[in-house]
């Protein structure tokens, strides 16, 4: 059994998601080859070599791959596919963009957003915004999967093993798609999908100015910041903060939802959090139906109190 | 420019779905059905291109039972010019849908195909990317901005850490994200007018494609429910309980 694992990186470092997806790949019980597609990505390759229990690192390093666009990445992956029984990647914007195209090139189906590996051909995934869980059997010769990062624990890096590197010299061009730019949100806080604590804000914040209060709280708690769709649509927070069915799926130890009513689409993205705290002035807000601890209060009062509480704690 | 838009009939996003007792699926009998919200955004974007004089024709296509004509009529009411229903009672999965859309694209030769990034029932998020792969056209998924320039389309995509802007040569396939636009409300005259617009029905079998489902769904269950916890009366109580009752604080 051979598994091709498509790594996710920014040409400088491996994303944390890789360590979670690797745990899923390990459950498939096969020989894992890690594929790094990028440009000047030596540091990524070095980190990939230290991923635990992998066989080798395949490297496609060329200017054509600098922005990891779907078109030529998919061609490259499809060209390697027949050696493998599985192709796996994270169900992130990158994996979701690229792997279905690979599947189509190979005339294969794909299982998206896998949360449980039941057996080598049987998987669980959510449908209807997490309101139903399906068990799916796939009989394709090559099984292509995207993995929900938060459903699998993080594999520990292995310092003693260094997997060999194999360069792929064939370069696929991408003449019809041109990269213009990227505007990445400047963020010194933990990544949403990897954070232990998330504070998340909704429409209740009323303005982008007020939303900064939440960011301040996040910094005090060492937390990541999330947002509901309503808050993002209203321009309080950037798009990559969105938690939900169509945004990010998170599962921190502690999720504090502030001023979020709790539409099912939002709950789909956070209901696997270990402990959920909801703070909302509306006692009937649906978020309270899934929260472990609910506090009915004005969020602005609560923010001041929490800030004070934490400051006092620090002083003691 | 000709624009092709795909639409799917799904359980309305406001309906709380219920899993059937025999674990074969979700109960869709007597449930409000609507156009998939991402597809509605796709139709809206195509119509805006027409209103700007960039598109000259907007064609909407759907796959499924005869009742999907309702969804196509909604798209026609919004302003699409004509509709095609590819009729089938098969469970059409993303690869099969992409094959059907490819066949329609080869017949219609659109310059731009717009799809919703995912359907809110099966949540696959695959069909657009698969269609682009089958056609060997450029693709841009999860887009929140679109501008047609000469023979290209400039799009802004919502990606993991923020936004990415790409320039694609036409013909191309794009999939919509939530913030691309806000679909319009329908007026009664528009709904009446749409009844006269052409809606072509063809049987999927005439396309002679392999449409059999490749994913076998063996069980559908309701996920484990979280129970509501307790209400606390103050911030101090909240943090005390977090400290004493959980390991997360």
């Amino acid at each position: 059994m051979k598994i091709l694992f498509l790594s996710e990186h920014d040409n400088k470092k491996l994303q944390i998601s890789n360590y979670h997806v690797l745990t899923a790949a390990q459950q498939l019980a096969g020989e894992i080859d890690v594929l790094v597609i990028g440009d000047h990505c030596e540091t990524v390759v070095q980190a990939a070599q230290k991923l635990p229990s992998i066989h080798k690192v395949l490297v496609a390093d060329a200017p054509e791959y600098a922005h990891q666009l779907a078109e030529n990445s998919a061609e490259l992956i499809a060209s390697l596919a027949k050696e493998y029984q599985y192709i796996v990647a994270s169900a992130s914007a990158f994996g979701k963009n690229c792997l279905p195209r690979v599947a189509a090139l190979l005339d294969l189906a794909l299982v998206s957003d896998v949360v449980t590996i039941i057996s080598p051909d049987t998987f669980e995934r959510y449908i209807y915004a997490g309101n139903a869980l399906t068990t799916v059997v796939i009989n394709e010769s090559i099984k292509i999967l995207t993995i929900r990062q938060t459903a699998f624990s993080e594999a520990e890096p292995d310092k003693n093993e260094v997997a060999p590197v194999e360069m792929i010299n064939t370069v696929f061009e991408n003449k019809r798609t041109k990269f213009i730019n990227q505007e990445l949100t400047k963020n010194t806080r933990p990544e949403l999908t990897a954070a232990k604590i998330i504070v998340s804000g909704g429409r209740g914040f009323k303005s982008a100015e007020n939303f900064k209060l939440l960011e301040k709280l996040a910094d005090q708690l060492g937390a990541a910041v999330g947002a509901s769709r309503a808050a993002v649509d209203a321009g309080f927070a950037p798009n990559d903060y969105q938690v939900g069915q169509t945004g990010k799926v998170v599962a921190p130890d502690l999720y504090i939802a502030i001023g979020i009513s709790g539409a099912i689409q939002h709950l789909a993205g956070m209901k696997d959090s270990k402990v959920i705290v909801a703070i909302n002035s509306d006692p009937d807000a649906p978020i309270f139906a899934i929260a472990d601890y609910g506090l009915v209060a004005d969020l602005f009062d609560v923010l001041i109190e929490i800030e004070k509480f934490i400051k006092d704690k620090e002083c003691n | 420019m000709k624009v092709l838009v795909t639409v799917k009939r799904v359980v309305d996003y406001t309906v709380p779905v219920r899993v059937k007792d025999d674990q074969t699926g979700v109960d869709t009998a007597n449930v409000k059905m609507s156009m998939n919200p991402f597809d509605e955004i796709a139709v809206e974007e195509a119509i805006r291109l027409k209103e700007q004089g960039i598109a000259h024709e907007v064609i909407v296509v759907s796959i499924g039972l005869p009742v999907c004509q309702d969804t196509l009529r909604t798209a026609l009411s919004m302003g699409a010019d004509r509709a095609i229903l590819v009729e089938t009672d098969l469970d059409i999965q993303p690869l099969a849908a992409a094959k059907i859309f490819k066949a329609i694209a080869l017949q219609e030769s659109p310059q731009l195909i717009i799809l919703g990034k995912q359907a809110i029932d099966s949540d696959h998020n695959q069909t657009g990317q698969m269609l682009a792969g089958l056609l060997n056209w450029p693709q841009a998924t999860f887009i929140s901005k679109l501008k047609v320039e000469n023979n290209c389309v400039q799009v802004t995509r919502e990606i993991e850490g923020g936004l990415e802007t790409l320039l694609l040569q036409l013909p191309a396939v794009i999939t919509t994200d939530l913030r691309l636009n806000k679909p319009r409300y329908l007026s009664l005259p528009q709904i009446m007018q749409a009844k006269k617009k052409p809606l072509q029905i063809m049987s999927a079998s005439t396309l002679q494609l392999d449409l059999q489902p490749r994913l076998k769904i063996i069980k559908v269950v309701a996920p484990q429910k979280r129970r509501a916890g307790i209400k606390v009366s103050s911030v101090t109580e909240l943090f005390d309980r977090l400290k004493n009752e959980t390991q997360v604080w």
Side-chain angles (χ1 to χ4, degrees):
Chain A
M1 205 78 95
K2 288 185 74 180
I3 301 160
L4 183 65
F5 175 111
L6 175 61
S7 67
E8 186 167 15
H9 63 87
D10 59 1
N11 289 323
K12 292 186 196 80
K13 61 175 195 351
L14 272 180
Q15 308 296 356
I16 296 165
S17 64
N18 294 291
Y19 295 90
H20 294 265
V21 179
L22 190 62
T23 300
Q26 285 166 351
Q27 288 178 18
L28 296 168
E31 196 177 275
I32 303 168
D33 290 351
V34 177
L35 174 61
V36 178
I37 303 175
D39 182 29
H40 287 97
C41 49
E42 299 81 7
T43 49
V44 176
V45 174
Q46 283 161 14
Q49 285 179 280
K50 289 178 195 147
L51 286 169
S53 51
I54 61 159
H55 179 62
K56 65 181 172 197
V57 181
L58 296 169
V59 181
D61 189 323
E64 285 83 349
Y65 298 130
H67 306 293
Q68 301 168 40
L69 299 174
E71 292 85 346
N72 56 348
S73 299
E75 272 189 275
L76 170 69
I77 297 164
S79 75
L80 303 168
K82 54 182 183 303
E83 309 256 331
Y84 296 92
Q85 283 75 50
Y86 291 95
I87 303 174
V88 299
S90 167
S92 60
F94 171 64
K96 287 192 286 197
N97 185 42
C98 188
L99 281 201
R101 190 170 176 118
V102 174
L105 296 179
L106 299 166
D107 191 24
L108 296 169
L110 172 154
V111 187
S112 300
D113 225 350
V114 169
V115 295
T116 318
I117 294 167
I118 293 179
S119 76
D121 65 355
T122 310
F123 308 95
E124 282 185 323
R125 62 182 298 270
Y126 286 106
I127 54 172
Y128 287 94
N131 287 298
L133 181 68
T134 59
T135 308
V136 178
V137 174
I138 179 167
N139 285 318
E140 303 284 22
S141 54
I142 306 169
K143 296 172 181 57
I144 308 182
L145 314 172
T146 61
I147 304 292
R148 182 177 289 193
Q149 173 191 340
T150 53
F152 295 88
S153 60
E154 197 175 328
E156 294 290 331
D158 190 333
K159 290 189 187 68
N160 299 321
E161 276 180 73
V162 178
V165 167
E166 190 180 306
M167 300 302 290
I168 302 167
N169 296 317
T170 321
V171 174
F172 292 90
E173 292 191 339
N174 209 356
K175 288 199 170 135
R176 287 176 293 162
T177 305
K178 203 173 129 197
F179 174 86
I180 307 286
N181 65 31
Q182 259 183 11
E183 295 163 50
L184 299 182
T185 309
K186 285 198 188 79
N187 207 339
T188 50
R189 300 184 193 98
E191 247 182 78
L192 256 180
T193 47
K196 297 260 184 272
I197 303 176
I198 294 174
V199 292
S200 200
R203 201 197 304 271
F205 274 85
K206 297 196 179 97
S207 73
E209 196 60 40
N210 291 340
F211 204 85
K212 292 202 181 100
L213 299 170
L214 184 72
E215 296 179 333
K216 199 171 139 200
L217 174 67
D219 292 337
Q220 276 185 311
L221 298 175
V225 182
S228 70
R229 178 190 170 187
V232 177
D233 282 359
F236 304 170
N239 68 284
D240 55 307
Y241 281 23
Q242 187 176 323
V243 171
Q245 178 188 19
T246 68
K248 291 201 171 104
V249 177
V250 301
D253 290 344
L254 177 59
Y255 189 90
I256 307 179
I258 307 179
I260 291 178
S261 64
I264 50 172
Q265 290 78 9
H266 183 77
L267 304 187
M270 46 66 83
K271 66 186 166 69
D272 290 330
S273 305
K274 267 197 203 114
V275 175
I276 298 173
V277 171
I279 297 163
N280 203 301
S281 57
D282 173 10
D284 299 321
I287 190 89
F288 287 124
I290 65 149
D292 300 290
Y293 300 99
L295 177 55
V296 180
D298 180 85
L299 71 90
F300 297 108
D301 295 343
V302 172
L303 286 174
I304 294 166
E305 284 175 51
I306 296 179
E307 191 182 335
K308 190 169 167 290
F309 180 87
I310 291 167
K311 263 196 194 138
D312 290 351
K313 203 182 88 178
E314 279 165 0
C315 294
N316 293 332
Chain B
M1 180 169 90
K2 209 189 229 188
V3 181
L4 186 71
V5 183
T6 66
V7 297
K8 185 177 183 185
R9 183 174 180 267
V10 297
V11 172
D12 188 88
Y13 77 98
T14 57
V15 173
V17 298
R18 206 187 64 83
V19 172
K20 288 189 207 163
D21 295 334
D22 64 2
Q23 302 192 337
T24 56
V26 160
D27 198 354
T28 54
N30 303 316
V31 162
K32 186 184 176 196
M33 304 293 282
S34 300
M35 190 189 300
N36 177 40
F38 290 98
D39 301 347
E40 217 179 333
I41 294 169
V43 174
E44 176 66 35
E45 197 63 21
I47 292 162
R48 288 186 189 187
L49 289 175
K50 198 183 169 196
E51 288 167 348
Q52 291 160 27
I54 294 165
H56 73 269
E57 189 180 27
V58 176
I59 307 158
V60 284
V61 52
S62 191
I63 306 169
L65 299 169
V67 70
C68 295
Q69 288 178 56
D70 296 351
T71 319
L72 289 168
R73 287 286 171 207
T74 305
L76 293 172
S77 305
M78 288 173 72
D81 296 294
R82 62 187 168 93
I84 302 168
L85 174 61
V86 181
E87 212 178 274
T88 175
D89 55 7
L90 282 172
D91 164 28
I92 295 293
Q93 295 178 347
L95 184 62
K99 286 179 181 179
I100 292 172
F101 294 142
K102 179 190 175 188
I104 302 292
L106 294 179
Q107 285 174 16
E108 297 287 347
S109 310
Q111 286 292 94
L112 186 63
I113 307 179
I114 314 179
L115 303 89
K117 77 166 180 180
Q118 75 193 67
I120 60 162
D121 51 3
S122 49
D123 281 336
H124 283 297
N125 196 331
Q126 298 177 12
T127 307
Q129 298 87 311
M130 286 182 158
L131 175 60
L134 293 178
L135 286 166
N136 190 25
W137 288 7
Q139 76 179 51
T141 48
F142 331 140
I143 71 151
S144 59
K145 228 185 258 171
L146 175 152
K147 207 168 106 199
V148 176
E149 301 171 332
N150 304 320
N151 202 30
C152 290
V153 56
Q154 181 170 317
V155 294
T156 300
R157 305 180 56 223
E158 299 206 352
I159 58 164
E160 220 63 14
L163 299 168
E164 174 181 270
T165 301
L166 302 176
L167 189 67
L168 312 184
Q169 249 177 48
L170 297 173
V173 175
I174 60 174
T175 76
T176 61
D177 216 316
L178 292 168
R179 280 168 281 278
L180 181 60
N181 62 48
K182 214 164 169 264
R184 65 197 61 196
Y185 290 108
L186 299 179
S187 68
L188 192 60
Q190 284 173 316
I191 294 167
M192 299 309 288
Q193 222 180 6
K195 290 188 175 163
K196 292 184 220 132
K197 289 184 178 174
L199 193 160
Q200 178 197 349
I201 298 172
M202 65 166 84
S203 166
S205 59
T206 61
L207 297 171
Q208 298 191 318
L209 298 165
D210 168 18
L211 303 176
Q212 288 305 317
R214 307 274 189 97
L215 304 176
K216 199 171 141 203
I217 293 160
I218 57 171
K219 199 164 83 177
V220 179
V221 296
Q224 254 189 334
K225 270 223 164 72
R226 278 190 94 103
R227 272 174 305 158
I230 53 155
K231 290 264 166 63
V232 295
S233 57
S234 69
V235 166
T236 315
E237 186 193 348
L238 173 65
F239 281 95
D240 279 351
R241 284 185 181 269
L242 282 178
K243 195 178 164 197
N244 298 325
E245 297 170 10
T246 75
Q247 275 88 52
V248 300
W249 186 253

